[in-house]
Each structure stands twice: as structure tokens, then as C-alpha cells.
Amino acid sequence: MKQAGIVIEMENGRVKETSLGMITLAGRTADSLTAMVMSGITDDITDHLSEYGVHTIVDLSLPDAPEIRRNPAVQATAVVHAARELKLDRILGLSSPEGKDLLPRVAALLDAPLIMDCVDADLKTGTATTSQYSGKMMAKIQLTGEILMFGVRPNAVLPESKPVPAKTIAMTMDAVVPENIILLSRDEADTEGRQSLAEADIIIAGGRGLKNKDNFSLIFDCAEKLNAAPAASRVAVDEGWVPYAFQVGQTGEKVSPQVYIACGISGSIQHFAGMKTAKMIIAVNKDENTAMMANCDYQVQGDLFAILPEIMRQL
Amino acid sequence: MQIYVCVKHVPDSAANIHMIDNRNIDDSVPFLMNPYDEHAVTEAAALKKQIPDSEIIAVCLGKKDAESTLRSALAMGADRGVLVETDDMCDSMTTARVLHAAIIRDGGADIILTGKESIDSEGMQTQFRIGALFDFPVVTNAASLEITNGKARVGCELAGGRTRTYELTLPCVIGAGRGLNTPIYPTFPDVVKSRKKPIETVARSQLNVSDAPGSAKIISMTPLVQKRNPRKIIGTPAEQAAEIIRILRQEAKVLS
Ligand SMILES: Cc1cc2nc3c(=O)[nH]c(=O)nc-3n(C[C@H](O)[C@H](O)[C@H](O)COP(=O)(O)OP(=O)(O)OC[C@H]3O[C@@H](n4cnc5c(N)ncnc54)[C@H](O)[C@@H]3O)c2cc1C
């Protein structure tokens, strides 16, 4: 019997689509699915989770104080507690920004193997598929141990409805408030209303071809018109035109949007490592002989300063 | 302060990776220090400037040739290096155990710095496992670090420009992110000086490391190549723009 526990992420009081996709993935090979919710359970959440195949919903009953509830070290102890109480032998969570700060903590406390950024996982055999060498390779990995953990890449699997009756339970646990790691503050400010790179359908990215910080606003304006997420090559980040959070590549974000529009980006091996899994790549470059132009779906040879304003004008 | 920095010897980020069988890569490509670890070493050097009586010890688990990565750490400011030599590919559960044992054998840590992940195995977890073995607090993807009165105040980046600020008691483990600093580029005299700094080599079997209760092993690996056949979009900028919009609407169906 494979008892899978799934760490659920919420957004604006709703279960994230990417969490539902992870439930679908787990449901293919697990015997029972337990959703672990950190923010309290409402009827809406219960209905939503049971519609996608969750059998048991656990309220991890974290303390109310936000700086304690949101401390990933506190969350990790709650997940570990639930895993032990409910005898879960598979634990899944998203390989999202929050997940990258939570799942390895759980794995370390349980001394259990963990594979991050899985695009596929078989909970019966304990195998997972993930990228290696910064997106240059795909590897199949065998996990062994009592409890196996999987960090699932957001959007790797699309949610499929599979209604089952679900019961809810509350964990009773005295939250240990750690003294050695205190969360002082969280700042969510600077991306309000902007699409997150990992979840965007369209990404429009700019590189050295934008030439300076002022010009880079062209990428932001275009992104807004296209309802796309703006992104950048490392050069644009190193030059100080955009913050590091926008960097795509080997040492930046790994993205797989439906469409990636690369503007004034040559297509270094490190940049490709972050976006080669895009469904469609459109390259806008004045030089035909660049790697980006050779490895895209649509080559747009020309001056980005002429083409991008035209796109905005015509929309 | 005793500052330990864990560094990993990984294929150059610019290298094309090829397979020799269905599990192992051709390791004749150039190997360098993991880029995130450069930030960790750079931060260690900055801490030592701030707290003068500090010693920086770079620790690496790897093959014999990983010594060159330790040399780079020495050129960037580490005082000495410890190479735990193994020919095995170790998963993060084992790596953490070995690094933990190597640090204990060497002395006591006030702070342990690592990179937030390695660019070869992309595990993102060794720092947390080291922390759990020591029972030290851990943060990852650090973008700022300030040490005062035995406490570390660390700003960590989540994706999308969001941040979290933590206060940790020392000793602690910190996974360095790219926002932390600009890596030191050693000068020629630094490189010359580093040649005289000691590197101790310890065989993995010399460290008494117990087996982990679990493992992660690669069973097969394939290059991720997406063969694309570029089609040209030609015409005036206005015509090119119109065609891009048509493709977004009709082919990719991502635009209404
Ligand atoms: C350890 C390490 C890690 C790295 N990680 C990353 C990473 O994560 N992400 C990343 O992106 N890079 C990374 N790099 C850097 C990488 O090697 C390249 O330097 C970088 O990707 C190049 O950025 P670029 O394409 O914007 O610039 P360039 O290579 O300079 O390309 C600029 C392009 O713009 C075109 N252009 C110029 N003007 C115009 C115009 N008016 N209209 C249209 N086209 C124009 C040019 O033809 C050219 O092709 C890393 C490097 C190292 C060593």
C-alpha cells in the first residue's frame, strides 16, 4: 500500500492548479492520497480536493501568528509529524519557491531521500524523472528508503478530475517554535500583478540587445500587452537592468512556457539550459547566425527596437 | 570564527555534456567550482575581513582532481582545504554525512556555507541535511548576510523578487544564492599565494560514516535535446509583428 501525503499550496484561499496537477500525478500510482493543508480547511477546499481524487484531508493546525505559521522550519516539523502519525510512505510537494525551502527540510528531518523538480514519478516503484546538469540531461532516479519524497515541477502534469469521497482530520500537535531560526519578515511586494515566470504561458525575455536599462522597459511594456511574464538573460541582470529574479538559465529560473520570445539574446548554452523545454521558441535577433536563431521554431531576423513597438501597436 | 565552506567540483557550465553509456557522462570536459559555491567562498572571505581571527576551511567531497576546485577556493581567500577523496558518485544523503564527519574531524564550525544547489545534480538539499545532522538551523538562497552578537540575519530570495528575512543563532548553515555578492576574481598574486596553502586529503574510508537509511541512484540518463526546425518570419517590421501575433493567436493559442 502506497500512502501518499501531498503538501498543498494555496493562492488567495484556493488550491493552486499546480497542486491539483501534483494530485493527479500521485493518483496514478498511489493507493491512497492524503492532502496536507497548512492554512485551515474550508468546505470549498474540501470539495476542490476531493474532486481531484484526494481521500483524506489533514489540517496541519499550524499556529495563527503569521511569522510562526509561515516559518518553513515550523511547517517542516508539522509535515513530519503528520507523516509519522498517518504512516505515510510517500511525500510529494511542489518544487516551487516555497517548496524548495520546505521539502528539503522535511527530507532532512526524516532522513529520507528526495528528488526535486520531478517531471514524472512512479510512487509504486519509487522512481522519478528529473533534470540533471542544469537542464542538459533527463535522468531516471531510483529512490530507496522507508519514506520517499518527490518535489514535483509545477505544471509537469495537468490536473484531471477524479471525484472521490474525502474525509477531513485535524492534527493535534504542539507546534514547536524553534528558537534557532526566526522568520522576521516576508516581502511579497515587488511582483504584484505580474505573472510568475514558472507559471506563465508566454514569456518575453530580453538580453544584451536591449542595450540599457531604459530600453528594457520595452520588454516590460510588451509583456503587459501580451499578458506575458517578462524575463532576462544574465547579461541584462549583471548590467543591473533588471533584478536577478528575472534571470532565466542555468543559474536562474528554469521555465517551460507555451511560448518563449527571446529578444536580443544570443542563446548561450547557459541560457538554453533554462528555457529549452519551452513548447515554442520565437527568436527576435538582428544576427541570423546565433544559437538562438538556429534552435528556435520561428526566426525573426531584424531590429527588436522596430519589431517590439509594432507588436504593441497592433495589439 | 571557524568558517567552513563546502565546495563541489562540477562540469563547466558552458560545457556540452555527452554520455559514455546510459548512466555516466563523459567526464573529460573541464570541471570548475560550482558557481553558487563561489558566492559561498566570497562571503566567507568577507566575514573573515569583518571578524579578523577567523579561519576559512574549504571542504570538498570528490575525486582526486577536485583538488583544483579547492585550489580555487584557496585563491579566493580560504586558508586551507580538506579533500575527502572518493571515486563514487554520492547522493545528497551520503554527501551530507561525509561532509558532516569531515567537519567534525577537523574542528568545530561556527558557520557553514554552501551553494544553494549544485549545477550538476541539482539536488537543492545537501545544506539542509548537513544542518539536520549537526542540529544547526539552515536557510537557503541567501542574498544578504549580517553577523552580530552571535546571530546571523539572513535575507533569502524566493523566486519572483520576493524575500524572507530570518534570524539564526550560530552555528548555522547558509546556502548561498547569486544575490549574495559578486564572486571574487583572484589576482595572479592570490593564485601564487594559494599554492602554498595546505590541502589535506582524507580517504572517505578514513571517516567513520554510517550508511544512510535511504538512497537516490541514477538508473538511466539521456541528453535533453529538443530538435527544432526554424521557419523564417520575413517582411517589414510591421509584417513580422503581424505574423508573430497571428502565430500567438492561431498556432500557440495563448493570445485572445
Ligand atoms: C557559470 C555561468 C552561469 C551562467 N548562467 C547564465 C544564466 O543562467 N542565464 C543566462 O542567460 N546566461 C548565463 N550565463 C551567461 C552566458 O554565458 C551568456 O554570457 C549570456 O547568456 C549572454 O546573454 P545575451 O544573450 O543577452 O548577450 P549576448 O550573447 O551578447 O547576445 C546579445 C544578442 O543580441 C542581439 N542584438 C543586439 N542588438 C539587437 C537589436 N537591436 N535587435 C535584435 N537583436 C539584437 C545580438 O545579435 C546578440 O545575438 C552564465 C555564465 C556562466 C559562466
Short mmCIF file of all heavy atoms in Angstrom, two decimals, chain A residues 134-179:
data_model
loop_
_atom_site.label_atom_id
_atom_site.label_comp_id
_atom_site.label_asym_id
_atom_site.label_seq_id
_atom_site.Cartn_x
_atom_site.Cartn_y
_atom_site.Cartn_z
N SER A 134 21.84 20.88 -14.97
CA SER A 134 21.16 22.14 -15.24
C SER A 134 20.31 22.08 -16.50
O SER A 134 20.43 22.94 -17.36
CB SER A 134 22.16 23.27 -15.37
OG SER A 134 22.90 23.36 -14.22
N GLY A 135 19.50 21.07 -16.58
CA GLY A 135 18.57 21.03 -17.69
C GLY A 135 19.17 20.46 -18.97
O GLY A 135 18.50 20.41 -19.99
N LYS A 136 20.43 20.02 -18.92
CA LYS A 136 21.01 19.46 -20.14
C LYS A 136 20.67 17.98 -20.31
O LYS A 136 20.73 17.44 -21.41
CB LYS A 136 22.53 19.64 -20.14
CG LYS A 136 22.96 21.10 -20.21
CD LYS A 136 24.46 21.27 -20.05
CE LYS A 136 24.83 22.73 -19.85
NZ LYS A 136 26.24 22.91 -19.51
N MET A 137 20.32 17.32 -19.20
CA MET A 137 20.04 15.89 -19.22
C MET A 137 18.72 15.61 -18.52
O MET A 137 18.30 16.37 -17.65
CB MET A 137 21.12 15.12 -18.43
CG MET A 137 22.50 15.23 -18.99
SD MET A 137 22.63 14.10 -20.36
CE MET A 137 24.07 14.78 -21.14
N MET A 138 18.10 14.49 -18.86
CA MET A 138 16.96 13.98 -18.10
C MET A 138 17.39 12.64 -17.51
O MET A 138 17.92 11.80 -18.23
CB MET A 138 15.76 13.74 -19.02
CG MET A 138 14.90 14.95 -19.16
SD MET A 138 14.37 15.50 -17.54
CE MET A 138 13.23 16.70 -17.96
N ALA A 139 17.17 12.45 -16.22
CA ALA A 139 17.61 11.22 -15.58
C ALA A 139 16.43 10.53 -14.91
O ALA A 139 15.51 11.17 -14.42
CB ALA A 139 18.69 11.51 -14.54
N LYS A 140 16.50 9.20 -14.94
CA LYS A 140 15.54 8.42 -14.17
C LYS A 140 16.26 7.99 -12.90
O LYS A 140 17.38 7.47 -12.96
CB LYS A 140 15.09 7.20 -14.97
CG LYS A 140 13.92 6.52 -14.37
CD LYS A 140 13.22 5.64 -15.39
CE LYS A 140 12.05 4.94 -14.71
NZ LYS A 140 11.50 3.89 -15.53
N ILE A 141 15.63 8.24 -11.76
CA ILE A 141 16.31 8.02 -10.49
C ILE A 141 15.51 7.05 -9.63
O ILE A 141 14.28 7.15 -9.55
CB ILE A 141 16.52 9.36 -9.76
CG1 ILE A 141 17.45 10.21 -10.64
CG2 ILE A 141 17.09 9.16 -8.36
CD1 ILE A 141 17.93 11.46 -10.07
N GLN A 142 16.23 6.09 -9.05
CA GLN A 142 15.60 5.12 -8.15
C GLN A 142 15.83 5.56 -6.71
O GLN A 142 16.97 5.78 -6.31
CB GLN A 142 16.23 3.74 -8.37
CG GLN A 142 15.72 2.67 -7.44
CD GLN A 142 14.29 2.25 -7.77
OE1 GLN A 142 14.01 1.85 -8.90
NE2 GLN A 142 13.38 2.38 -6.80
N LEU A 143 14.76 5.69 -5.96
CA LEU A 143 14.89 6.01 -4.55
C LEU A 143 14.69 4.75 -3.72
O LEU A 143 13.89 3.89 -4.08
CB LEU A 143 13.82 7.03 -4.14
CG LEU A 143 13.83 8.38 -4.85
CD1 LEU A 143 12.75 9.29 -4.28
CD2 LEU A 143 15.18 9.04 -4.70
N THR A 144 15.43 4.65 -2.61
CA THR A 144 15.17 3.57 -1.67
C THR A 144 15.07 4.16 -0.28
O THR A 144 15.68 5.20 0.01
CB THR A 144 16.31 2.53 -1.64
OG1 THR A 144 17.50 3.16 -1.15
CG2 THR A 144 16.58 1.95 -3.02
N GLY A 145 14.32 3.53 0.58
CA GLY A 145 14.16 4.00 1.94
C GLY A 145 12.73 3.75 2.39
O GLY A 145 11.90 3.30 1.61
N GLU A 146 12.47 4.08 3.66
CA GLU A 146 11.14 3.82 4.19
C GLU A 146 10.12 4.83 3.67
O GLU A 146 9.03 4.50 3.29
CB GLU A 146 11.21 3.94 5.71
CG GLU A 146 10.75 2.71 6.43
CD GLU A 146 11.06 2.86 7.89
OE1 GLU A 146 10.26 3.54 8.58
OE2 GLU A 146 12.10 2.35 8.34
N ILE A 147 10.54 6.10 3.69
CA ILE A 147 9.68 7.16 3.16
C ILE A 147 10.42 7.78 1.98
O ILE A 147 11.60 8.10 2.09
CB ILE A 147 9.43 8.25 4.24
CG1 ILE A 147 8.76 7.63 5.47
CG2 ILE A 147 8.59 9.38 3.66
CD1 ILE A 147 8.47 8.62 6.58
N LEU A 148 9.74 7.91 0.84
CA LEU A 148 10.38 8.50 -0.34
C LEU A 148 9.71 9.84 -0.63
O LEU A 148 8.50 9.97 -0.51
CB LEU A 148 10.24 7.58 -1.55
CG LEU A 148 10.62 6.10 -1.34
CD1 LEU A 148 10.48 5.33 -2.66
CD2 LEU A 148 12.04 5.98 -0.80
N MET A 149 10.53 10.82 -1.03
CA MET A 149 9.97 12.16 -1.25
C MET A 149 10.20 12.66 -2.67
O MET A 149 11.24 12.43 -3.28
CB MET A 149 10.59 13.15 -0.25
CG MET A 149 10.15 12.88 1.18
SD MET A 149 10.67 14.20 2.28
CE MET A 149 9.87 15.62 1.54
N PHE A 150 9.20 13.40 -3.18
CA PHE A 150 9.24 13.89 -4.56
C PHE A 150 8.86 15.37 -4.59
O PHE A 150 7.77 15.73 -4.12
CB PHE A 150 8.27 13.11 -5.43
CG PHE A 150 8.50 11.61 -5.41
CD1 PHE A 150 7.91 10.82 -4.42
CD2 PHE A 150 9.33 11.01 -6.34
CE1 PHE A 150 8.12 9.45 -4.39
CE2 PHE A 150 9.55 9.64 -6.31
CZ PHE A 150 8.95 8.85 -5.33
N GLY A 151 9.73 16.20 -5.12
CA GLY A 151 9.38 17.60 -5.37
C GLY A 151 8.97 17.69 -6.83
O GLY A 151 9.76 17.42 -7.72
N VAL A 152 7.71 18.03 -7.08
CA VAL A 152 7.18 17.96 -8.44
C VAL A 152 7.24 19.32 -9.12
O VAL A 152 6.83 20.34 -8.53
CB VAL A 152 5.72 17.45 -8.41
CG1 VAL A 152 5.14 17.38 -9.82
CG2 VAL A 152 5.65 16.09 -7.74
N ARG A 153 7.76 19.35 -10.34
CA ARG A 153 7.84 20.61 -11.09
C ARG A 153 6.43 21.13 -11.36
O ARG A 153 5.58 20.38 -11.85
CB ARG A 153 8.58 20.38 -12.41
CG ARG A 153 8.76 21.65 -13.22
CD ARG A 153 9.47 21.39 -14.53
NE ARG A 153 10.84 20.97 -14.33
CZ ARG A 153 11.69 20.73 -15.34
NH1 ARG A 153 11.30 20.90 -16.59
NH2 ARG A 153 12.92 20.34 -15.09
N PRO A 154 6.18 22.41 -11.04
CA PRO A 154 4.85 22.96 -11.30
C PRO A 154 4.48 22.80 -12.78
O PRO A 154 5.34 22.98 -13.65
CB PRO A 154 5.00 24.45 -10.94
CG PRO A 154 6.15 24.50 -10.00
CD PRO A 154 7.07 23.39 -10.42
N ASN A 155 3.23 22.44 -13.05
CA ASN A 155 2.73 22.25 -14.41
C ASN A 155 3.29 21.04 -15.14
O ASN A 155 3.06 20.89 -16.33
CB ASN A 155 2.98 23.48 -15.29
CG ASN A 155 2.16 24.67 -14.83
OD1 ASN A 155 1.05 24.48 -14.33
ND2 ASN A 155 2.70 25.86 -14.95
N ALA A 156 4.04 20.18 -14.46
CA ALA A 156 4.56 18.98 -15.14
C ALA A 156 3.40 18.09 -15.55
O ALA A 156 3.44 17.44 -16.59
CB ALA A 156 5.52 18.22 -14.24
N VAL A 157 2.34 18.07 -14.74
CA VAL A 157 1.17 17.25 -15.05
C VAL A 157 -0.05 18.15 -14.90
O VAL A 157 -0.17 18.89 -13.93
CB VAL A 157 1.06 16.06 -14.08
CG1 VAL A 157 -0.21 15.27 -14.33
CG2 VAL A 157 2.28 15.17 -14.20
N LEU A 158 -0.96 18.10 -15.86
CA LEU A 158 -2.17 18.91 -15.76
C LEU A 158 -3.22 18.18 -14.92
O LEU A 158 -3.32 16.96 -14.97
CB LEU A 158 -2.72 19.20 -17.16
CG LEU A 158 -1.78 20.08 -18.02
CD1 LEU A 158 -2.36 20.29 -19.41
CD2 LEU A 158 -1.52 21.43 -17.35
N PRO A 159 -4.00 18.92 -14.14
CA PRO A 159 -4.98 18.28 -13.27
C PRO A 159 -6.09 17.58 -14.07
O PRO A 159 -6.52 18.10 -15.10
CB PRO A 159 -5.57 19.45 -12.47
CG PRO A 159 -4.90 20.69 -12.92
CD PRO A 159 -3.94 20.39 -14.01
N GLU A 160 -6.50 16.40 -13.59
CA GLU A 160 -7.63 15.69 -14.19
C GLU A 160 -8.62 15.40 -13.08
O GLU A 160 -8.26 14.86 -12.05
CB GLU A 160 -7.17 14.37 -14.81
CG GLU A 160 -6.39 14.54 -16.10
CD GLU A 160 -5.56 13.30 -16.44
OE1 GLU A 160 -5.93 12.19 -16.00
OE2 GLU A 160 -4.55 13.46 -17.16
N SER A 161 -9.87 15.72 -13.33
CA SER A 161 -10.91 15.50 -12.33
C SER A 161 -11.11 14.00 -12.11
O SER A 161 -11.08 13.22 -13.05
CB SER A 161 -12.18 16.19 -12.81
OG SER A 161 -13.27 15.64 -12.17
N LYS A 162 -11.29 13.60 -10.83
CA LYS A 162 -11.44 12.18 -10.47
C LYS A 162 -12.10 12.12 -9.10
O LYS A 162 -11.46 11.83 -8.10
CB LYS A 162 -10.02 11.57 -10.42
CG LYS A 162 -9.94 10.09 -10.16
CD LYS A 162 -8.46 9.73 -9.98
CE LYS A 162 -8.26 8.29 -9.57
NZ LYS A 162 -6.85 7.99 -9.26
N PRO A 163 -13.40 12.46 -9.07
CA PRO A 163 -14.06 12.66 -7.77
C PRO A 163 -14.08 11.41 -6.90
O PRO A 163 -14.34 10.31 -7.38
CB PRO A 163 -15.49 13.06 -8.15
CG PRO A 163 -15.42 13.43 -9.60
CD PRO A 163 -14.31 12.64 -10.20
N VAL A 164 -13.79 11.60 -5.62
CA VAL A 164 -13.90 10.54 -4.61
C VAL A 164 -14.43 11.20 -3.34
O VAL A 164 -14.28 12.40 -3.16
CB VAL A 164 -12.53 9.89 -4.30
CG1 VAL A 164 -11.99 9.11 -5.49
CG2 VAL A 164 -11.51 10.92 -3.83
N PRO A 165 -15.04 10.41 -2.45
CA PRO A 165 -15.42 10.99 -1.16
C PRO A 165 -14.18 11.24 -0.32
O PRO A 165 -13.25 10.42 -0.33
CB PRO A 165 -16.31 9.91 -0.53
CG PRO A 165 -16.03 8.66 -1.28
CD PRO A 165 -15.42 9.00 -2.60
N ALA A 166 -14.16 12.38 0.37
CA ALA A 166 -12.98 12.69 1.19
C ALA A 166 -13.38 12.94 2.63
O ALA A 166 -14.44 13.49 2.89
CB ALA A 166 -12.28 13.92 0.62
N LYS A 167 -12.54 12.52 3.55
CA LYS A 167 -12.78 12.86 4.96
C LYS A 167 -11.70 13.84 5.42
O LYS A 167 -10.59 13.86 4.86
CB LYS A 167 -12.79 11.60 5.82
CG LYS A 167 -11.47 10.83 5.86
CD LYS A 167 -11.51 9.77 6.97
CE LYS A 167 -10.13 9.21 7.27
NZ LYS A 167 -9.69 8.09 6.49
N THR A 168 -12.05 14.65 6.39
CA THR A 168 -11.05 15.59 6.89
C THR A 168 -10.67 15.22 8.32
O THR A 168 -11.51 14.75 9.09
CB THR A 168 -11.57 17.04 6.90
OG1 THR A 168 -12.74 17.08 7.70
CG2 THR A 168 -11.89 17.52 5.51
N ILE A 169 -9.41 15.43 8.63
CA ILE A 169 -8.97 15.24 10.01
C ILE A 169 -8.08 16.40 10.41
O ILE A 169 -7.44 17.02 9.56
CB ILE A 169 -8.21 13.90 10.22
CG1 ILE A 169 -7.15 13.69 9.14
CG2 ILE A 169 -9.14 12.73 10.27
CD1 ILE A 169 -6.35 12.41 9.34
N ALA A 170 -8.05 16.69 11.69
CA ALA A 170 -7.17 17.76 12.18
C ALA A 170 -6.05 17.11 12.98
O ALA A 170 -6.27 16.17 13.74
CB ALA A 170 -7.96 18.72 13.04
N MET A 171 -4.88 17.58 12.77
CA MET A 171 -3.74 17.10 13.54
C MET A 171 -3.73 17.86 14.85
O MET A 171 -3.97 19.07 14.88
CB MET A 171 -2.44 17.47 12.82
CG MET A 171 -2.03 16.50 11.75
SD MET A 171 -1.32 15.05 12.49
CE MET A 171 -2.37 13.79 11.82
N THR A 172 -3.47 17.19 15.91
CA THR A 172 -3.26 17.93 17.14
C THR A 172 -1.79 17.79 17.47
O THR A 172 -1.28 16.69 17.55
CB THR A 172 -4.09 17.40 18.29
OG1 THR A 172 -4.08 15.99 18.19
CG2 THR A 172 -5.50 17.94 18.24
N MET A 173 -1.17 18.91 17.55
CA MET A 173 0.26 18.87 17.78
C MET A 173 0.67 20.19 18.39
O MET A 173 0.17 21.24 18.01
CB MET A 173 0.93 18.66 16.43
CG MET A 173 2.24 19.32 16.30
SD MET A 173 2.86 19.32 14.64
CE MET A 173 4.50 19.85 15.02
N ASP A 174 1.53 20.11 19.39
CA ASP A 174 2.04 21.35 19.94
C ASP A 174 3.13 21.82 19.02
O ASP A 174 4.16 21.17 18.91
CB ASP A 174 2.61 21.12 21.34
CG ASP A 174 1.50 20.74 22.31
OD1 ASP A 174 0.38 21.23 22.12
OD2 ASP A 174 1.76 19.93 23.22
N ALA A 175 2.86 22.91 18.31
CA ALA A 175 3.86 23.39 17.37
C ALA A 175 5.12 23.77 18.13
O ALA A 175 5.06 24.48 19.13
CB ALA A 175 3.33 24.60 16.62
N VAL A 176 6.22 23.23 17.68
CA VAL A 176 7.48 23.60 18.30
C VAL A 176 7.91 24.89 17.63
O VAL A 176 8.09 24.93 16.42
CB VAL A 176 8.58 22.55 18.01
CG1 VAL A 176 9.45 22.34 19.23
CG2 VAL A 176 7.98 21.25 17.51
N VAL A 177 8.04 25.92 18.39
CA VAL A 177 8.51 27.18 17.83
C VAL A 177 10.02 27.20 18.01
O VAL A 177 10.52 27.28 19.12
CB VAL A 177 7.84 28.38 18.51
CG1 VAL A 177 8.36 29.67 17.91
CG2 VAL A 177 6.33 28.29 18.37
N PRO A 178 10.75 27.06 16.91
CA PRO A 178 12.19 26.95 17.05
C PRO A 178 12.81 28.27 17.51
O PRO A 178 12.35 29.34 17.11
CB PRO A 178 12.66 26.59 15.64
CG PRO A 178 11.58 27.07 14.74
CD PRO A 178 10.31 27.08 15.51
N GLU A 179 13.80 28.15 18.37
CA GLU A 179 14.46 29.37 18.85
C GLU A 179 15.65 29.72 17.98
O GLU A 179 16.11 30.85 17.98
CB GLU A 179 14.92 29.18 20.29
CG GLU A 179 13.76 29.30 21.26
CD GLU A 179 14.12 28.85 22.65
OE1 GLU A 179 15.33 28.64 22.92
OE2 GLU A 179 13.19 28.71 23.46
#
